[in-house]
Amino acid sequence: MKKISSIDELKKAGEKGAKSLFPSSVKIIVGMATSGIASGADKVYEALDKEIKKKKLPYILAKTGSMGMDFIEPLVDVIEKDKPRLSFGKMTPEKVPQLLEQIGKGNIDKIKPIYRTDAEDIIAKCEKKHYLKGNVSEYLKDIPQMEAIPFYKKQIKIATRNCGVIDPESIDEYIARGGYLSLHKALTTMSANEIIDEIIKSGLRGRGGGGFPAGVKWQSCRSAHGDIKYVICNGDEGDPGAYMDRSIMEGDPHSVIEGMIIGAYAIGAQEGFIYVRNEYPLAVANLTKAIGDARSRGMLGKNILGTNFSFDIKISKGAGAFVCGESTALMASLEGKAGEPRAKYIHTVEHGLWDRPSNLNNVETWANVPVIISRSGKWFSEIGIPNNSGTKVFSLVGKVNNIGLVEVPLGIPLKDIVYDIGGGIPGNRKFKAVQTGGPSGGCIPASMIDLSVDFDSLWDAGSMMGSGGMIVMDEKTCMVDLARYFIEFLVSESCGKCTPCREGVRRMNDILHDICAGKGREGDIELLEAMAKGIKDGSLCALGGSAPNPVLSTIKYFREEYDAHIRQKRCPAGVCRALIKYEINAKKCTGCTVCAKKCPSGCISGEKKKAHKIDQKKCIKCGICMESCKFDAITVK
Amino acid sequence: MAMIKLKINNREVEVKKGSTILTAAKKAGAFIPTLCHDERLTPYGACRLCMVAERKKPAKLIPACFTPAREGMDIITENPEIIKSVKKQLQLILINHPLDCPVCDKAGECVLQDLVIRYGITAAPYKLEVRHKRVDRESSLIERDMNRCILCGRCVRICAELQGRHEIDFINRGIKTIIGTDGERPLDCDFCGQCISTCPVGALTDNTFKNTTRVWKLAKQEAVCSQCGMACSVDLNIQNGKIRRVTAPVSDHGNIGNLCARGRFGWRAYEKSARATQPQINTDGQRKDVSWPDALSYCAEKLAYVSKKYGPESIAVLSSDCLTTEEALSYRAFLRSELGIEKIGSQTAAGYRQVLSGLLETHGASCKIGSLADLKASDIVIVAGGGAAEFHPVLKTLLNSFIRKEERELIVISPWPDFCWEKATLPIYVNPEYYDKFLLEFCQSLEGKSADGSCDISQFGVPAATFAKLVSLIHSGREITLLVVPQLFGGSAALVRLTSILHHFVKTVIPLGASVNSRGAVTRAEFFTARKAEASNDSGNENVLQKIKNGNIKALYLLGDDPLEYSANPQEIEILFSKLELIIHQSPYLTRSAKFAHAVLPSAVLPEKTGSIIDMWGEEHIIKAALLPPPGVKTDADILFQLQNLWKNNSAVVKNVPANEIISSALLPPARLQYDRKQFPFMMTAVPSIYGDGIISRQSPEMQKLKGSLKIVMNADDCEKAGIADDASVHICTPYGEAKGIAKLSVQVRPGNILVENIPGNAEGLRLISEQVSAVPANIRLAGGES
């Protein structure tokens, strides 16, 4: 491929990309991010491919990243010339012939699309690009527009602007949506200081969890002494249930690369590293392809876009240690050493990777940079609330109807995320709490549902933003068990360097296990609190320093649950096996025998059409009987 | 250096900018508990005991070992919050630290034990947990009990940062972390025991000390290690007049608490069991035990007889440079005034003396012989020669600390890939065959004699770019210290030449390869003074051997030295020895020459003496006798005193002593000087062993065990071609002789090169080498098979 060295050449590449984004023939796009593949998108893609070839249809079949609507994956989009883009959810290989058939016929009789997209915001270019020419056809009038459906209504997509829209493997499509224009603008019209000023003005705070102002970090790294400097992208997302960064790396790798090049230019770095965990094979593959393309097109390597600036990026694969998301541990790992953190008042912006000034930002932070450069820091700072500008991507998981990735302006009430975007709690159960910030974060109880979701409010509530995990819990979640789960995770992820984290968190884990097993003792809560303080005060890095958070926040808001476990040996949510008992309500039991057949330990007995009984001695408390009972006759106490 | 002021517990202190709070607190006399801190290592911050707080924020705890002190800080080292935190961390550590103090060698000097007592930890709020981790009892000299380990990482760091070995590291992580070797194999390292010295608990213990006594019963006696020229400060831990172990005091002296295997574990060489304790004389072919007066009378008489009969030049004296400076001065005076002997040669420190004499010869009084402080203050260290750190193992810690600082260069020009070469910023591995040639070429280019490009540097195995960088660094105008490492065998004439040329470019020169008091013996006692007229080869005993051969020497007085253990072709020397009319073997040990001696005079080792020595850095140490000599042993000073008295009283009564039969030189084994190079496709170099090649270390059973037999280090590909596996038993032959040894594979040794360790003291090994050249053609074959 020819190297791009002028704005005209860049625009030409963009035009080529636009042609493939807005094709003149029918184009079918399958959401093939990991979330899609997990739901069977690969099989849908295969079926489409086979069927199109079989019928010799002139359709283009393409892949894209994730739109974030994981609850309706696999998602298939259909683009026809001058018609709205239609999105079909929960596709299966079986539905493929019907879909192709109705495309041919020009109707939606067999499969109804979830929503339609008449026009698309190209946020980086501040443009609207229309799929629909003229008026919308009659048969599509009932289909809601994308912006109108509740899941999208309150979202603003900046970091995930291209995810689910472009083919992550196509650099031209990225350019068509404003990609690398910011880079060109930065390299040709802005000085390093102007860029840093713009980032400072934008108020962009580190999206990895620390929330440190990115521009200030860049500034210190720029002014640090040394000729050789590095920029690093932290793609070592490790919180259980969080996958924001993965989605960006898979769906829009160029946005991260462009952000890093701009950052490198502003800071004065010659080399960059993307540290990504090896458990993200698709992210690694897409990033590798993207870096290769960017290099062959002259966005990486020597004389980027024909300027004097040279910079290159290498990918470094991590072995999946949670602690390697900590910046100093990450740098140690990059150097080939064991991923252990060190004390941080020797700032990494001055003495980082190989003791050189290094600027580390998270994937999402880097992905925001090109948009800030193109739309200005002022524009960005007006999104969100003061001191917490811009948007944040959250992975909304747990007991919520609409599981997926959401990008919302900071300062949005928690309620809006859980109820409007998330669609509330399944089964009309009661909302209990939200865990934010992953294992190091904390719980926000139902009583604080109006809390503004931003760095500072979450911190004040005893939790934290973290990298953006948001786990919704309903009344069937035991908070002690939850704390135990996270602490157990941290025990296995502690690097073992400092005493309080290695020994202390482990001991907390033992105490929590005891409480869940009904062996809790009077005074355990106080001991946990005292230990938590010792661990917070004593630990070397943020992993240990924040490890007690799940325990402290659950004690703070759900102390009575701990008391119930310890004093009454009772698990109010009916989760902790040692403390619960399944019983059959004889009045409701119809004697259908389903539970008895399903019980793996054979502890349910009873005659047909007569109330059954559970032998408590044999019961292993797996809960299968309760799930299988259609008459709600089985209760847990 | 900029200084900053801060307050520690209301007391103002001034420290260097960049110092930690802990350093400042120490200066202010405040106690801060630590477990993972060792002044020699970079701060680590793992144990979290060293918490302090600023007065304005008493609840925010900061680790003192890691946090840099700032101007105007107001630190409190103890408040209820801090005490609570320390107690909590100690309780956490005690959860799985076995309380087996009664059987732990560390008890009594265990930092954890002391802290637990200090903070009054009598009960734990947690369940104690006994873990069953590996105890490594297979490793030689060091026992590693991971149950006692508190994971402070000091051993890992000292092994990596100071010793440069990385023998042990953290394995697994989190709660499962242990410290160990790859694949849990036994240790195979320098056995410096630095890890033992830094371990705050009893996880790493000294096997030679194990279960012998309790530490509080030991009295520590300051002494100087006599195993090499570094003369490290040691504490002999003595109980009832017997050494139980050796430790290093942490001091400002050169070794700052660092020791090597020889220094730490080689102390059995001082014990009675290793020593000669009975004076003996050999009359009429009969060796018999005699009293000291009889032995000394015999010596006096025989010396007088030889001196009178053949003249003073017929008596040669060889010293191992283990005498104190005072003793050396006395011997010098006696030998010069009474016997008319001008020179006292040396065998063990021959190379050192050769380099030193070369320098003194060319530069005289203006000679820039440096000190340790010079080395530490330089920007560039050049190590000319191989085996610097093998001769003086504690040099490893110095050079590793040296290169840790930014913008420092370590240039190593060696004929084999030694330890320093591995660590060098500019490593230069010269083909051993052409080593001398390379050095001369280098000399010429420094003198500006060789026109650019006239010589192809790559023929020496050195890339042209490397050579260009070497030359440019030498001309860079930065402060350079030159360490000169003589060849183990074969003379160092080219090296001496290079040294005297490089002398113009460097700030200081420090010759290595010295014995404990070589520098004192030469510079103070003038054991050897260079004279322009004589070849610099004269410092050793090659000429002595030549003179014996020629019949010019009739008597040999060995002051601790032993040519049979340190010269090529020992069979010839044995034959030459039988030509002599008198051999006096005055040594703490019955080394090989004792068998041929007419008189054996058991002398004391350095820790049994009082006086002073000068180490190779030029620093003077005053030593006090830490041990009593075993019965039957006298100090060299005592021996001389009595000999002198006898000499005076004797007025040289010459008895008729039957002359020994002169053996015809036809009996000498022929050296195959004419040989087919095809027969010997390899180049062999004798290299020093880190466990010591000196006479003292060879008397230590621990060091002997570590050394084993001849170690034949070869390129791995060469081995594969020859079908030789690691640790295989092989024969090596050179034009001079043949020997058996154990093959060791190396990826760093170039194809075609062979390194042989442990030659000194090994009669078979000594047959392989030559006194003329350091690289000897060789061939190798599997034992029992044909090549």
Side-chain angles (χ1 to χ4, degrees), chain A residues 140-319:
Chain A
L140 288 175
K141 274 206 170 134
D142 293 343
I143 304 299
Q145 289 227 47
M146 178 178 153
E147 301 83 40
I149 65 168
F151 184 77
Y152 285 123
K153 217 177 203 169
K154 291 188 172 163
Q155 292 200 45
I156 300 176
K157 296 211 165 204
I158 299 175
T160 56
R161 58 193 175 276
N162 295 324
C163 292
V165 181
I166 64 165
D167 179 354
E169 292 183 17
S170 163
I171 189 169
D172 292 335
E173 289 191 7
Y174 177 70
I175 296 170
R177 286 181 59 88
Y180 291 115
L181 288 171
S182 309
L183 175 64
H184 188 270
K185 179 181 171 187
L187 293 185
T188 54
T189 67
M190 294 171 85
S191 72
N193 284 326
E194 280 167 0
I195 296 173
I196 292 175
D197 282 348
E198 211 59 43
I199 302 293
I200 291 176
K201 247 187 258 164
S202 76
L204 176 67
R205 292 172 69 170
R207 296 303 196 234
F212 190 81
V216 177
K217 200 186 217 177
W218 289 21
Q219 182 79 66
S220 342
C221 193
R222 178 168 178 79
S223 41
H225 174 76
D227 299 335
I228 298 173
K229 294 178 183 175
Y230 299 109
V231 292
I232 302 165
C233 170
N234 184 349
D236 192 66
E237 187 176 46
D239 293 1
Y243 54 99
M244 302 71 55
D245 296 344
R246 183 188 74 198
S247 194
I248 296 174
M249 290 186 283
E250 284 176 356
D252 193 16
H254 285 287
S255 66
V256 181
I257 294 168
E258 188 182 357
M260 284 177 76
I261 307 170
I262 295 172
Y265 173 68
I267 288 157
Q270 304 81 19
E271 210 176 341
F273 293 90
I274 301 179
Y275 187 89
V276 49
R277 47 177 50 215
N278 209 21
E279 288 100 319
Y280 285 180
L282 187 59
V284 174
N286 286 358
L287 279 169
T288 310
K289 167 98 171 59
I291 289 172
D293 288 351
R295 204 176 283 139
S296 59
R297 296 298 283 272
M299 279 82 159
L300 283 176
K302 281 196 178 143
N303 299 33
I304 292 173
L305 294 179
T307 64
N308 287 329
F309 179 61
S310 302
F311 172 74
D312 213 336
I313 296 177
K314 282 191 190 117
I315 293 180
S316 181
K317 287 180 271 187

Side-chain angles (χ1 to χ4, degrees), chain A residues 321 340 343 345 492-500 502-504 506-507 514 530-531 533-534 537-540, chain B residues 44-48 51 63 66-68 81 88-89 92-93 95-96 126-127 129 131 150-151 173-175 177:
Chain A
E340 284 182 2
Y345 22 81
S492 65
E493 291 297 342
S494 164
C495 77
K497 180 172 177 176
C498 73
T499 318
R502 183 185 67 237
E503 305 291 346
R506 154 77 188 242
R507 201 53 38 187
D514 279 354
M531 288 183 77
K533 181 162 173 16
D537 284 348
S539 286
L540 174 60
Chain B
Y44 190 59
C47 73
R48 316 310 282 176
M51 295 296 185
F66 218 125
T67 317
E81 284 292 320
K88 220 166 266 169
Q89 307 309 341
L92 287 173
I93 290 169
I95 289 173
N96 50 51
Y126 320 112
K127 273 183 274 177
E129 178 185 20
R131 284 182 204 161
I150 56 162
L151 297 170
R173 62 174 186 167
I175 199 78
T177 312

Side-chain angles (χ1 to χ4, degrees), chain B residues 526-597:
Chain B
E526 298 179 339
F527 265 29
F528 169 79
T529 330
R531 263 178 243 140
K532 254 207 153 81
E534 289 174 73
S536 50
N537 256 358
D538 205 17
S539 52
N541 74 330
E542 296 100 278
N543 278 14
V544 172
L545 293 176
Q546 193 56 46
K547 282 177 188 166
I548 300 175
K549 219 186 234 176
N550 300 342
N552 295 339
I553 284 190
K554 300 293 177 191
L556 190 58
Y557 194 162
L558 300 174
L559 281 168
D561 214 352
D562 191 342
L564 265 185
E565 301 215 344
Y566 222 87
S567 287
N569 209 349
Q571 310 100 296
E572 185 187 27
I573 298 170
E574 284 180 13
I575 294 164
L576 289 174
F577 271 9
S578 53
K579 281 179 163 184
L580 294 174
E581 305 217 354
L582 174 66
I583 299 173
I584 302 177
H585 179 94
Q586 179 175 323
S587 163
Y589 309 107
L590 288 172
T591 54
R592 214 169 291 253
S593 296
K595 211 165 84 184
F596 301 87

Side-chain angles (χ1 to χ4, degrees), chain B residues 225-241:
Chain B
C225 174
S226 53
Q227 305 250 12
C228 79
M230 297 252 322
C232 299
S233 298
V234 292
D235 280 337
L236 303 180
N237 291 227
I238 293 171
Q239 185 191 18
N240 302 332

Side-chain angles (χ1 to χ4, degrees), chain B residues 61 116 319 575 597 686:
Chain B
L61 305 186
V116 165
S319 149
I575 294 164

